[in-house]
Every structure is written in C-alpha cells, then in structure tokens.
Amino acid sequence: KNWATEDRPREKMIEKGANSLSNAELLAILINTGTANKSALDIAKDVMNMSSQNLIELSKHTFEDFKKIKGLGEKKSITLMAALELGKRRQLSAALEKPKIANSKDAFDILTPYFIGNVTEEFYVIFLMQNLRILSIEKVSAGGITATVVDRRTIFKRALELKLVTSIILAHNHPSGNLTPSNADKIITNKMVEAGGFLDINIFDHIIICANQYYSFRDNGLITKI
C-alpha cells in the first residue's frame, strides 16, 4: 500500500495494459497477497528465480515445487498451476486451428505446445491429409529422460484407421537440450520411410524439439523432399 500507484501491478495493468507488466508482476497478481516480510511481488520474483527467469522452465515445476517457496502455500500454488495449464491449453487450441503445414517451421509452431513442460521424452505424430492438411495430432509413446520406444506398426495402423492419411510428420523432444539426432532417431526414421513406401504414406518430416529450437530431418537432407 506504500508503493506509488504506478508501481502496483494491478493499477499498472489497468493504466498501461497487461503487456506492460513483467513476468514477475503478472505472477504477483495471481499470488495476490504477500507475507509479513515479503510482498506478493517479492514472492513472484522468487518463483521466477527458481525457474531461471524462463517461463518454459516455470511450466516444468510441480505443485510440490511451488509449495516449497516461502509465502506460496497450497492455495496460491494451485492458482499458479491452473494459470500455467490455461496458457498451455490456449496454445494447443491455437495450434489446432491451423489446418495446413507447408514446412518444418509450421510443424514446429504447431507441435511446441504439446511439449511444454515435458521433462521426459515423448513422441507425437501429425497425420496429414492430401495437400498437407492436418487430420489428427496424437501421442504415440512416452518414455524416460533419454529415450522413448516407438512402434512403427502402431503408427501405420492408426494411419490406416484414419483412412484419409497421405503423409506423416514424426516429432519428439530431447529433454537434454541437445538437438542432434541420435542413431536411434535416424534408424526409426529410415524404417518409417521404408514402411511408408509400401503403404503409399509419405514421411514428410521428423522434428526434434528442444524448448524454442528444433531440428528438421527434411531440412537437413535426411528425408527426401517432395
């Protein structure tokens, strides 16, 4: 209450708009109240420090992680978890509205929300219709920190069930942050390309995602372009 009006997050948002607030100030509004020794903004700064000032890292924290921060407790931790989940779902909704993929960047933009906050390796497939229009995006496996097992038979079985599939984009994340494809990544890609040839289903690309970066097999010449 002793702060100048323009320094208070709520009043600042009303006067200047939400985009004028820092990440910590936005979190402070969600946290709502502080403690005897810390303001809501001080607690919010502790939350951002825990996440190295990175919102993607923030989304990886659990309910128990938030509760460990002095001044957060159960109710405020639940509020933060709910806000992060809403942000993720908003990105997913936006991704599903995009009907067509023309290149690896399109695929990356659409897939990124599916991997936000993941600390283990997961494998997704985008099933595409003719003209590269999206038919479905589905998780096909989840594994540990360094690998996940992918069954190509399951992927093509699903493609045939959907009936309209003409192309497939493979995608998985590397929680380690290393974008370089492993030998296992190359082997499964080659096997998928080979199997797809028999079924007239094209493997359009294989995308490896690490936070805000990606590696495209197609762009790097590891999958023949069409």
Side-chain angles (χ1 to χ4, degrees):
K1 293 181 181 178
N2 296 326
W3 291 3
T5 301
E6 62 270 18
D7 292 331
R8 300 175 193 170
R10 288 188 185 83
E11 286 77 359
K12 185 176 178 181
M13 178 182 282
I14 293 171
E15 183 179 343
K16 299 181 179 180
N19 61 357
S20 69
L21 273 65
S22 68
N23 291 334
E25 288 172 326
L26 290 170
L27 285 176
I29 291 175
L30 294 171
I31 292 169
N32 190 32
T33 58
T35 65
N37 300 316
K38 284 189 173 184
S39 68
L41 184 57
D42 291 329
I43 298 170
K45 288 178 179 178
D46 288 342
V47 173
M48 291 306 301
N49 287 335
M50 177 181 70
S51 309
S52 302
Q53 308 300 320
N54 188 301
L55 291 177
I56 293 178
E57 291 301 314
L58 178 65
S59 69
K60 296 178 181 179
H61 290 299
T62 65
F63 175 67
E64 294 301 325
D65 292 333
F66 287 126
K67 281 180 63 179
K68 291 177 184 176
I69 295 179
K70 190 173 181 180
L72 273 188
E74 185 172 288
K75 184 177 180 180
K76 293 174 183 176
S77 296
I78 289 173
T79 299
L80 292 185
M81 293 291 290
L84 289 168
E85 181 62 23
L86 277 172
K88 182 177 180 180
R89 293 186 186 188
R90 179 187 179 279
Q91 285 186 282
L92 287 171
S93 297
L96 291 174
E97 289 175 1
K98 191 167 186 177
K100 185 175 180 178
I101 291 178
N103 50 50
S104 62
K105 181 61 166 57
D106 288 345
F108 170 70
D109 290 341
I110 286 170
L111 288 163
T112 295
Y114 291 85
F115 293 102
I116 289 177
N118 292 355
V119 295
T120 58
E121 191 166 302
E122 297 187 352
F123 205 104
Y124 280 81
V125 173
I126 303 180
F127 296 101
L128 301 167
M129 299 182 288
Q130 195 170 7
N131 298 324
L132 302 178
R133 292 178 59 201
I134 297 172
L135 181 61
S136 180
I137 302 175
E138 301 181 16
K139 183 194 290 186
V140 295
S141 72
I145 295 174
T146 59
T148 181
V149 177
V150 180
D151 186 348
R152 57 179 173 164
R153 294 171 298 182
T154 301
I155 295 174
F156 284 112
K157 178 176 180 291
R158 180 59 178 151
L160 295 173
E161 288 173 349
L162 292 170
K163 297 181 180 179
L164 297 177
V165 175
T166 59
S167 296
I168 285 174
I169 293 176
L170 311 172
H172 74 284
N173 61 318
H174 280 181
S176 66
N178 182 4
L179 278 174
T180 305
S182 66
N183 287 332
D185 295 336
K186 294 176 182 177
I187 289 170
I188 187 61
T189 303
N190 290 335
K191 287 183 176 180
M192 288 292 294
V193 170
E194 182 182 5
F198 290 108
L199 297 171
D200 290 328
I201 296 177
N202 176 59
I203 305 303
F204 182 77
D205 206 344
H206 186 170
I207 304 289
I208 297 173
I209 293 177
C210 296
N212 61 346
Q213 303 176 80
Y214 73 96
Y215 178 95
S216 163
F217 276 62
R218 185 170 183 261
D219 292 350
N220 286 278
L222 299 182
I223 292 179
T224 303
K225 298 183 180 182
I226 60 169

